[in-house]
Amino acid sequence: MKTCLLGCGLMGNPMARRLLGAGLELTVWNRTRAKAEALAAHGAHVADTAAEAVRHAGVVITMLEHGGAVEELLFARGLADALPRGALLVDMSSIKPAEARAHAAALATRGVAHLDAPVSGGTVGAAAGTLAIMAGGEAADFERAQPLFAPLGRATLVGPHGAGQLAKLANQMIVGITIGAVAEALLLAERGGADPAKVREALRGGFADSRILEVHGLRMVERDFAKRAAITVQLKDLRNALATGTELGFDAPITTLFEQLYASAAEHGWPDADHAGLWLELARRNGMG
């Protein structure tokens, strides 16, 4: 199955390497060509343009920064018209559910199938092939995408078009809020004289244990805020969740509070820090380095 991946950034690169390692014939494209070229050594074909990349593809994966980027590539830059009839577009970007539904409808008029299939697990999960993949769309298209999903992680069809993005928003609400809870708790423990590294160790295995405590808590203890998933990306997802809540007439007060906290972190100089870097904003508020 000829496959194409558009977007070879922090997530797209390790995902492409997983697909190549599974023996798939893969063509890649990235707006900054050097990021795509880095995959040539792993066996990928590098295309000069996105339209060239998809010309003969049966399945096309997009892994772009936000819904606006997906919209621009598909429609403003003409990719939708370059996709072969009968192709399947699997959008693994994190975008608004309404955007995913609109893209699916527009592609259907061109004879192109669509799945929204955002992921969770970060760059670590992408490299290990352990991503949680949340898909929205038709069951037949979901089955068709299984050879792509298998090397990347565990895929679940959660509903019709847009439902995958709803699941991703739920994921990001839980992740963003839990990062804040872990950061605030560790800072409180440190202010009171406890060793935050030992507190994290003590909590593991109890009811407060989580993947966030394990991974992001360690980053906080080690003051390692190098970007994996940026503050700005977490903020974008929380804002998408709030916008979707408004559309649905749903009040999300906890998410509203954390949108403000992540926005404050970005405003105070940490927009490109890892989202565990919310610790920095909470430390700033408490006069702690």
Side-chain angles (χ1 to χ4, degrees):
M1 179 169 57
K2 290 186 177 180
T3 307
C4 171
L5 187 144
L6 309 177
C8 306
L10 286 173
M11 291 294 291
N13 181 290
M15 289 168 63
R17 286 189 275 115
R18 293 289 307 179
L19 295 172
L20 290 163
L24 275 73
E25 182 180 349
L26 186 67
T27 299
V28 297
W29 171 86
N30 196 79
R31 184 175 58 182
T32 303
R33 184 183 172 91
K35 293 183 179 180
E37 289 283 4
L39 292 163
H42 298 276
H45 307 290
V46 180
D48 290 323
T49 66
E52 177 190 327
V54 306
R55 187 166 296 138
H56 303 295
V59 180
V60 176
I61 298 171
T62 46
M63 177 51 88
L64 304 176
E65 188 174 358
H66 49 69
V70 178
E71 179 85 16
E72 179 185 357
L73 183 63
L74 282 177
F75 304 111
R77 298 176 63 176
L79 182 70
D81 295 322
L83 289 164
R85 291 187 69 84
L88 170 62
L89 180 79
V90 182
D91 186 11
M92 304 188 84
S93 318
S94 294
I95 69 175
K96 295 177 183 176
E99 291 172 323
R101 291 191 294 269
H103 297 167
L107 290 171
T109 66
R110 296 166 167 85
V112 176
H114 177 279
L115 288 173
D116 50 289
V119 303
S120 179
T123 54
V124 174
T130 58
L131 293 172
I133 305 167
M134 300 148 271
E138 299 292 334
D141 295 324
F142 179 74
E143 291 303 318
R144 183 178 169 189
Q146 288 306 307
L148 282 76
F149 291 152
L152 300 177
R154 176 181 56 83
T156 304
L157 182 64
V158 298
H161 295 296
Q165 296 297 346
L166 280 168
K168 179 59 186 286
L169 291 181
N171 179 88
Q172 291 305 90
M173 291 163 74
I174 294 168
V175 167
I177 292 165
T178 307
I179 284 174
V182 170
E184 193 166 86
L186 293 181
L187 282 162
L188 174 67
E190 183 175 346
R191 171 63 64 83
D195 181 340
K198 293 296 184 181
V199 170
R200 172 182 168 274
E201 182 181 328
L203 296 179
R204 297 184 68 188
F207 279 171
D209 201 1
S210 68
R211 182 70 171 158
I212 299 298
L213 180 67
E214 177 187 349
V215 175
H216 299 79
L218 181 61
R219 293 175 190 173
M220 296 170 194
V221 167
E222 296 182 343
R223 309 296 196 259
D224 174 13
F225 301 118
K227 182 169 70 172
R228 287 88 161 179
I231 289 279
T232 50
V233 173
Q234 180 68 58
L235 182 58
K236 176 262 297 183
D237 289 334
L238 293 180
R239 286 174 171 169
N240 282 349
L242 292 173
T244 300
T246 298
E247 292 169 9
L248 298 173
F250 180 81
D251 181 31
I254 298 172
T255 302
T256 298
L257 171 61
F258 275 86
E259 184 275 337
Q260 295 167 0
L261 290 171
Y262 281 98
S264 185
E267 291 166 3
H268 286 108
W270 303 296
D272 294 321
D274 184 80
H275 52 176
L278 185 61
W279 183 97
L280 295 164
E281 171 61 19
L282 296 173
R284 182 195 67 80
R285 290 175 177 230
N286 285 284
M288 301 169 67

mmCIF file of all heavy atoms in Angstrom, residues 205-225:
data_model
loop_
_atom_site.group_PDB
_atom_site.id
_atom_site.type_symbol
_atom_site.label_atom_id
_atom_site.label_comp_id
_atom_site.label_asym_id
_atom_site.label_seq_id
_atom_site.Cartn_x
_atom_site.Cartn_y
_atom_site.Cartn_z
ATOM 1 N N GLY A 205 2.255 4.300 42.750
ATOM 2 C CA GLY A 205 1.598 3.088 43.219
ATOM 3 C C GLY A 205 0.333 3.351 44.007
ATOM 4 O O GLY A 205 -0.493 2.461 44.202
ATOM 5 N N GLY A 206 0.158 4.599 44.470
ATOM 6 C CA GLY A 206 -1.059 4.982 45.190
ATOM 7 C C GLY A 206 -2.095 5.551 44.233
ATOM 8 O O GLY A 206 -1.921 5.539 43.008
ATOM 9 N N PHE A 207 -3.172 6.071 44.787
ATOM 10 C CA PHE A 207 -4.243 6.601 43.954
ATOM 11 C C PHE A 207 -3.831 7.840 43.166
ATOM 12 O O PHE A 207 -4.485 8.194 42.184
ATOM 13 C CB PHE A 207 -5.467 6.927 44.821
ATOM 14 C CG PHE A 207 -6.320 5.725 45.159
ATOM 15 C CD1 PHE A 207 -7.342 5.836 46.084
ATOM 16 C CD2 PHE A 207 -6.101 4.491 44.556
ATOM 17 C CE1 PHE A 207 -8.136 4.739 46.405
ATOM 18 C CE2 PHE A 207 -6.880 3.394 44.867
ATOM 19 C CZ PHE A 207 -7.911 3.511 45.794
ATOM 20 N N ALA A 208 -2.789 8.518 43.570
ATOM 21 C CA ALA A 208 -2.334 9.713 42.849
ATOM 22 C C ALA A 208 -1.388 9.372 41.706
ATOM 23 O O ALA A 208 -0.978 10.265 40.965
ATOM 24 C CB ALA A 208 -1.640 10.682 43.805
ATOM 25 N N ASP A 209 -1.062 8.093 41.558
ATOM 26 C CA ASP A 209 -0.128 7.702 40.496
ATOM 27 C C ASP A 209 -0.778 7.901 39.134
ATOM 28 O O ASP A 209 -1.992 7.780 38.978
ATOM 29 C CB ASP A 209 0.295 6.244 40.664
ATOM 30 C CG ASP A 209 1.607 5.938 39.945
ATOM 31 O OD1 ASP A 209 2.183 6.858 39.334
ATOM 32 O OD2 ASP A 209 2.041 4.772 39.998
ATOM 33 N N SER A 210 0.031 8.227 38.152
ATOM 34 C CA SER A 210 -0.453 8.414 36.785
ATOM 35 C C SER A 210 0.749 8.466 35.854
ATOM 36 O O SER A 210 1.895 8.604 36.290
ATOM 37 C CB SER A 210 -1.250 9.715 36.659
ATOM 38 O OG SER A 210 -0.397 10.839 36.809
ATOM 39 N N ARG A 211 0.461 8.382 34.574
ATOM 40 C CA ARG A 211 1.507 8.554 33.571
ATOM 41 C C ARG A 211 2.101 9.963 33.665
ATOM 42 O O ARG A 211 3.301 10.158 33.467
ATOM 43 C CB ARG A 211 0.920 8.313 32.186
ATOM 44 C CG ARG A 211 1.912 8.408 31.044
ATOM 45 C CD ARG A 211 2.887 7.273 31.036
ATOM 46 N NE ARG A 211 3.701 7.269 29.823
ATOM 47 C CZ ARG A 211 4.875 6.677 29.731
ATOM 48 N NH1 ARG A 211 5.378 6.025 30.778
ATOM 49 N NH2 ARG A 211 5.552 6.705 28.608
ATOM 50 N N ILE A 212 1.255 10.934 34.003
ATOM 51 C CA ILE A 212 1.730 12.312 34.143
ATOM 52 C C ILE A 212 2.708 12.428 35.304
ATOM 53 O O ILE A 212 3.760 13.066 35.197
ATOM 54 C CB ILE A 212 0.553 13.282 34.331
ATOM 55 C CG1 ILE A 212 -0.380 13.248 33.118
ATOM 56 C CG2 ILE A 212 1.058 14.701 34.580
ATOM 57 C CD1 ILE A 212 0.249 13.682 31.822
ATOM 58 N N LEU A 213 2.378 11.825 36.448
ATOM 59 C CA LEU A 213 3.290 11.855 37.596
ATOM 60 C C LEU A 213 4.612 11.183 37.236
ATOM 61 O O LEU A 213 5.692 11.666 37.601
ATOM 62 C CB LEU A 213 2.662 11.159 38.801
ATOM 63 C CG LEU A 213 3.522 11.115 40.068
ATOM 64 C CD1 LEU A 213 3.717 12.520 40.642
ATOM 65 C CD2 LEU A 213 2.894 10.190 41.112
ATOM 66 N N GLU A 214 4.520 10.087 36.492
ATOM 67 C CA GLU A 214 5.727 9.345 36.133
ATOM 68 C C GLU A 214 6.623 10.145 35.190
ATOM 69 O O GLU A 214 7.819 10.316 35.467
ATOM 70 C CB GLU A 214 5.338 8.020 35.466
ATOM 71 C CG GLU A 214 6.530 7.200 34.988
ATOM 72 C CD GLU A 214 6.122 5.982 34.185
ATOM 73 O OE1 GLU A 214 4.918 5.641 34.171
ATOM 74 O OE2 GLU A 214 6.993 5.367 33.551
ATOM 75 N N VAL A 215 6.046 10.623 34.099
ATOM 76 C CA VAL A 215 6.850 11.255 33.042
ATOM 77 C C VAL A 215 7.046 12.748 33.309
ATOM 78 O O VAL A 215 8.180 13.235 33.411
ATOM 79 C CB VAL A 215 6.200 11.031 31.666
ATOM 80 C CG1 VAL A 215 6.971 11.787 30.581
ATOM 81 C CG2 VAL A 215 6.151 9.548 31.337
ATOM 82 N N HIS A 216 5.955 13.479 33.434
ATOM 83 C CA HIS A 216 6.063 14.923 33.591
ATOM 84 C C HIS A 216 6.528 15.306 34.992
ATOM 85 O O HIS A 216 7.238 16.302 35.165
ATOM 86 C CB HIS A 216 4.729 15.586 33.261
ATOM 87 C CG HIS A 216 4.281 15.351 31.853
ATOM 88 N ND1 HIS A 216 3.694 14.173 31.443
ATOM 89 C CD2 HIS A 216 4.352 16.134 30.745
ATOM 90 C CE1 HIS A 216 3.422 14.244 30.160
ATOM 91 N NE2 HIS A 216 3.820 15.414 29.703
ATOM 92 N N GLY A 217 6.153 14.503 35.986
ATOM 93 C CA GLY A 217 6.652 14.748 37.333
ATOM 94 C C GLY A 217 8.161 14.634 37.399
ATOM 95 O O GLY A 217 8.831 15.433 38.085
ATOM 96 N N LEU A 218 8.715 13.661 36.671
ATOM 97 C CA LEU A 218 10.175 13.523 36.636
ATOM 98 C C LEU A 218 10.813 14.733 35.963
ATOM 99 O O LEU A 218 11.861 15.224 36.408
ATOM 100 C CB LEU A 218 10.562 12.237 35.904
ATOM 101 C CG LEU A 218 12.061 11.950 35.820
ATOM 102 C CD1 LEU A 218 12.669 11.806 37.213
ATOM 103 C CD2 LEU A 218 12.326 10.703 34.979
ATOM 104 N N ARG A 219 10.192 15.218 34.908
ATOM 105 C CA ARG A 219 10.721 16.419 34.242
ATOM 106 C C ARG A 219 10.735 17.604 35.202
ATOM 107 O O ARG A 219 11.668 18.408 35.202
ATOM 108 C CB ARG A 219 9.885 16.753 33.003
ATOM 109 C CG ARG A 219 9.984 15.720 31.889
ATOM 110 C CD ARG A 219 9.040 16.028 30.743
ATOM 111 N NE ARG A 219 8.990 14.906 29.799
ATOM 112 C CZ ARG A 219 8.146 14.829 28.770
ATOM 113 N NH1 ARG A 219 7.288 15.804 28.548
ATOM 114 N NH2 ARG A 219 8.165 13.775 27.984
ATOM 115 N N MET A 220 9.708 17.724 36.014
ATOM 116 C CA MET A 220 9.655 18.815 36.991
ATOM 117 C C MET A 220 10.743 18.661 38.039
ATOM 118 O O MET A 220 11.423 19.636 38.394
ATOM 119 C CB MET A 220 8.272 18.841 37.656
ATOM 120 C CG MET A 220 7.132 19.158 36.718
ATOM 121 S SD MET A 220 5.516 18.873 37.506
ATOM 122 C CE MET A 220 4.426 18.907 36.093
ATOM 123 N N VAL A 221 10.924 17.457 38.549
ATOM 124 C CA VAL A 221 11.959 17.195 39.551
ATOM 125 C C VAL A 221 13.333 17.517 38.994
ATOM 126 O O VAL A 221 14.190 18.095 39.673
ATOM 127 C CB VAL A 221 11.877 15.737 40.032
ATOM 128 C CG1 VAL A 221 13.126 15.347 40.814
ATOM 129 C CG2 VAL A 221 10.617 15.525 40.886
ATOM 130 N N GLU A 222 13.561 17.148 37.743
ATOM 131 C CA GLU A 222 14.872 17.343 37.111
ATOM 132 C C GLU A 222 15.001 18.708 36.446
ATOM 133 O O GLU A 222 16.053 19.013 35.887
ATOM 134 C CB GLU A 222 15.118 16.227 36.097
ATOM 135 C CG GLU A 222 15.217 14.845 36.739
ATOM 136 C CD GLU A 222 15.503 13.739 35.736
ATOM 137 O OE1 GLU A 222 15.306 13.975 34.507
ATOM 138 O OE2 GLU A 222 15.922 12.650 36.176
ATOM 139 N N ARG A 223 13.928 19.530 36.492
ATOM 140 C CA ARG A 223 13.911 20.845 35.845
ATOM 141 C C ARG A 223 14.243 20.710 34.354
ATOM 142 O O ARG A 223 14.982 21.520 33.775
ATOM 143 C CB ARG A 223 14.885 21.830 36.501
ATOM 144 C CG ARG A 223 14.763 21.944 38.009
ATOM 145 C CD ARG A 223 13.421 22.489 38.469
ATOM 146 N NE ARG A 223 13.477 22.936 39.847
ATOM 147 C CZ ARG A 223 13.024 22.237 40.891
ATOM 148 N NH1 ARG A 223 12.474 21.042 40.701
ATOM 149 N NH2 ARG A 223 13.104 22.726 42.121
ATOM 150 N N ASP A 224 13.689 19.678 33.731
ATOM 151 C CA ASP A 224 13.927 19.401 32.314
ATOM 152 C C ASP A 224 12.678 19.789 31.539
ATOM 153 O O ASP A 224 11.721 19.020 31.458
ATOM 154 C CB ASP A 224 14.238 17.911 32.119
ATOM 155 C CG ASP A 224 14.365 17.531 30.646
ATOM 156 O OD1 ASP A 224 14.457 18.448 29.798
ATOM 157 O OD2 ASP A 224 14.361 16.318 30.348
ATOM 158 N N PHE A 225 12.701 20.983 30.962
ATOM 159 C CA PHE A 225 11.530 21.483 30.256
ATOM 160 C C PHE A 225 11.809 21.665 28.760
ATOM 161 O O PHE A 225 11.163 22.493 28.093
ATOM 162 C CB PHE A 225 11.059 22.793 30.891
ATOM 163 C CG PHE A 225 10.713 22.627 32.357
ATOM 164 C CD1 PHE A 225 11.419 23.317 33.337
ATOM 165 C CD2 PHE A 225 9.721 21.751 32.757
ATOM 166 C CE1 PHE A 225 11.109 23.162 34.681
ATOM 167 C CE2 PHE A 225 9.406 21.585 34.102
ATOM 168 C CZ PHE A 225 10.105 22.283 35.065
#
